[in-house]
Amino acid sequence: MMMSMSPMVRQGYGHGPGSSGGVSPGPGGGGIPVTPITPMIMQQHHQQQQIVATQPPGGSVSLALLIDFIVQKTYNELTVMADLLPRKTDMERKHDIFSFSSRTRLLATRLLALVKWASSAAKVDKSVHIMSFLEKQSMLFTDTADVLAKIARETLVHARLPNFHVPAAVEVLTTGTYNRLPTCIRERIVPPDPITGIEKKNTLNKLNQVIQHRLVSAILPVQMRNLKIEHGRVTFHVENEFEVSLTVLGDSPNIPWKIIEIEILVEDKDIGDGMSLVHPLQVSFLHQLAQGRLETSLSPLRELYETLHTFAQSLQLEVLYTQALKLCRERLGDYLIIEEYSIGQSLVLGYWNELSSHDPKAELGYRISVSVDCSDIAQPLGVTHQPLLPVEEAVQTIEGLRTNQLEKMLIQTVYLRSKSRLVELSKEIEIYLGVKPVISGSPAVLNISILMPCLPSEQLVVTVNIHTGGFLVNVPQFETSPPIVKDIAHMLNSPTPEMTKFKSLISQLRYWITERRCEKTLQHLPASAADGITLLKWEENPILSKIGPHRLTIKFQKHPYAILIVEFLEKEECMREMEYFFHLIMVKKASADENEELSLGSSSGSAAPKFYLRPVNILPLDTFAATHGPFTAIDEPESNDLTIGGKRKLSASISLGAEISPEPKKQKNPPYFIPELAHIVAMCDERLPFALLAHELSSRGVIHGGCIAEANGTCLSIPIFRFLTNSSGIPERLIRKLHLRLESAFIRSQVQIKGFKTWNLELKFGNSGLE
């Protein structure tokens, strides 16, 4: 509910309802000049009047707001009085309470009268709206009168009708057309007829000739010699930088070149999914900049090349820098360091930081620098290596720069560095070891033959860690590399490698591989390596004390009373070849603490007995005699050799003193197989039972011929010459008759189908015993 506290005050209009609204008198009337009223001003004024009419009348307030103010005022005075009264005297308190009651009562009385009056406020409000509407209508009439007066006094005074073009109207109405239009309308609106194809071709040919003449007479940079003239334009192509098309708009030599199109050829297929690296707005700005320099320069083509070349080089460096950041973030981490990056100038990368600390050739570190040639900015980007690389190798690293592939350039650089380190190491190895290693593969690998013959998988492989530059050493044949390999790697990566120590480590590795070869050879034989066997009184034995530390102890699966010790030594004339020595030892079990002999089949009653072996008999084996029996075939001389009297005669070439290098024999067995070891182990496994039987026969007085090979070496046997004569229970007469009729007696062994072995006694009689 709104209530009017005062009559409506008309404001903001500047005139009353009955005034003329500021209509100024005519000229010379002495009135105040009035601002001209246009339709736009009238519309704005009308909108202001509508806003004023919708607002509540001036000086009115809401009844609810008035009651709220009264309540707040009363509450505030009551609160203040409650705080102040305790400090006053009784009389002052009574006076203040009386004054507050009077004021509050008077205010409430006024509010009550106002509320009673407000019941009829709707009629007053309606009257106020009626008065506002009437004032609005009066204002519209006044504004209309003002505008009409202004039009009559100012606008209509100068208004005149033009003279009608009667001849043109008559011509149009009679003939239906008009032929007197100005020709400029035709020239500006109607397009001219297009030229024919022949004229276009002739024009382009003429333009090609003009361009050729301009190029011959202009200063053309060497890098822009790759050009093509066709279709009235010349296209310059600079590899991996830009391609620009130019033309001329006339045949005058003073007309500047006009750039048609610019294409930046710098690209990176790994970034942006193969999209262009330059935004069209950048190309447009570059187009405008180059065109402006073409029009003002005395050497326009050189200025054009320098402008585009500088931009392309800066973009190339930015691409390489982005690739370096990506490599550091995703894969290489701290192995690749961006030491310096100057926008548009240079990019310096560092690698192999660990190696540079102790490499005397790289005091400043291993670096690769891609920079602009400061002496001649027209040259392409250059690559500088620290330490310096040979010229032919440095050229190979530029291939990655031509394709904007930093990783390819780094890979090629690291490959050349690795190969250089391996070549230096190969020279030192050839001097100290007398072996010429082979460098092959990519990444480069140095293969060192430890033994001869040697499998490729048994070679010592030395490579360079592409991340740190250190040497990596490995023997591919073995999944778990021996500790010696780690020692070799540590020695090679030391600041001052000792090649004498390297020679000793290679010798240890050679012995280790030979031991693995022996174990490989024993896989399919009835024997195995036994490192846990301990022989008592080793140092006291004159034969065992001479056996070196590089040996392998072999135990027989079927003969626990015998072991075979294989000693391998490097040959003096060729250290890569091994020499093998064999010792067959008959042993007995003994306790290390009590030092007492135990039977072979006995076992202690304790839970974990600890037994040692005591050597009883030691038999050194001659390798040649053991591998060449009475029936061993000997290589016959070749057919082209001449023999006289059963003796071999030298061939004609040898008799003439010519030097013939023997052809290498074809290897029958793989290099890891040791035929001498396999032959001796098989021989011992086969002959040990016969030796034990022969020893037992001798102890019982049976005369025999020992273990011999018969039937062209197909089997072994023991010939019996005389049986025992003092055997209890057998008459001596029968023994003599047996010897008279017995021609031969042999003891042989035979392996049955099921795998077990039987002993057979063969007796051959000369005549029948039934006579």
Side-chain angles (χ1 to χ4, degrees), residues 399-416:
E399 288 296 327
L401 187 61
R402 293 175 181 173
T403 56
N404 298 325
Q405 293 180 354
L406 179 65
E407 187 174 4
K408 182 178 179 181
M409 184 168 57
L410 288 175
I411 290 174
Q412 187 65 23
T413 302
V414 171
Y415 168 74
L416 294 175

Side-chain angles (χ1 to χ4, degrees), residues 334-591:
D334 297 336
Y335 295 119
L336 180 65
I337 299 177
I338 302 176
E339 298 185 356
E340 180 185 354
Y341 173 60
S342 300
I343 299 177
Q345 295 296 325
S346 63
L347 174 64
V348 181
L349 302 176
Y351 59 98
W352 288 6
N353 297 318
E354 297 180 5
L355 180 63
S356 59
S357 60
H358 56 78
D359 190 353
K361 298 181 181 179
E363 297 180 355
L364 302 178
Y366 286 90
R367 296 179 182 178
I368 179 171
S369 175
V370 183
S371 59
V372 177
D373 191 349
C374 299
S375 60
D376 186 4
I377 61 174
Q379 294 297 326
L381 292 176
V383 181
T384 306
H385 297 273
Q386 179 66 33
L388 296 177
L389 283 176
V391 178
E392 59 275 6
E393 294 182 356
V395 172
Q396 300 178 16
T397 62
I398 304 179
E399 288 296 327
L401 187 61
R402 293 175 181 173
T403 56
N404 298 325
Q405 293 180 354
L406 179 65
E407 187 174 4
K408 182 178 179 181
M409 184 168 57
L410 288 175
I411 290 174
Q412 187 65 23
T413 302
V414 171
Y415 168 74
L416 294 175
R417 294 287 188 195
S418 304
K419 189 174 181 181
S420 176
R421 294 204 69 199
L422 293 178
V423 168
E424 294 177 1
L425 180 62
S426 174
K427 294 178 180 178
E428 295 182 2
I429 291 175
E430 189 173 357
I431 294 173
Y432 284 92
L433 298 184
V435 181
K436 187 173 183 180
V438 179
I439 300 177
S440 61
S442 178
V445 177
L446 180 67
N447 299 302
I448 306 174
S449 297
I450 302 298
L451 293 166
M452 189 175 68
C454 185
L455 286 174
S457 59
E458 291 179 335
Q459 294 178 341
L460 182 66
V461 177
V462 182
T463 58
V464 176
N465 190 332
I466 61 175
H467 291 160
T468 62
F471 288 110
L472 299 176
V473 184
N474 183 32
V475 180
Q477 176 68 28
F478 309 102
E479 297 180 0
T480 304
S481 298
I484 306 171
V485 173
K486 296 181 181 179
D487 296 339
I488 294 174
H490 180 71
M491 189 276 303
L492 292 178
N493 291 319
S494 61
T496 56
E498 301 177 5
M499 295 309 296
T500 55
K501 183 179 178 181
F502 177 73
K503 184 176 181 180
S504 174
L505 292 174
I506 290 295
S507 179
Q508 295 180 28
L509 180 61
R510 186 178 294 116
Y511 285 122
W512 188 86
I513 294 178
T514 303
E515 189 173 346
R516 302 289 83 76
R517 284 185 172 185
C518 293
E519 295 175 357
K520 187 85 171 175
T521 305
L522 296 173
Q523 284 184 351
H524 303 289
L525 295 174
S528 60
D531 297 333
I533 294 180
T534 303
L535 293 178
L536 295 177
K537 301 180 180 180
W538 181 281
E539 300 296 336
E540 298 177 3
N541 192 291
I543 299 178
L544 295 179
S545 60
K546 295 180 181 180
I547 299 177
H550 305 293
R551 60 181 181 268
L552 179 66
T553 304
I554 300 173
K555 65 178 181 179
F556 297 94
Q557 298 175 0
K558 301 178 182 179
H559 315 292
Y561 50 84
I563 62 173
L564 180 67
I565 294 181
V566 184
E567 180 187 7
F568 25 87
L569 298 174
E570 299 171 343
K571 290 185 178 181
E572 295 181 359
E573 60 274 10
C574 182
M575 299 183 65
R576 289 189 298 163
E577 294 185 4
M578 280 294 176
E579 201 171 11
Y580 301 95
F581 300 93
F582 302 92
H583 301 270
L584 183 62
I585 305 175
M586 310 303 293
V587 296
K588 284 186 179 182
K589 288 185 178 181
S591 172

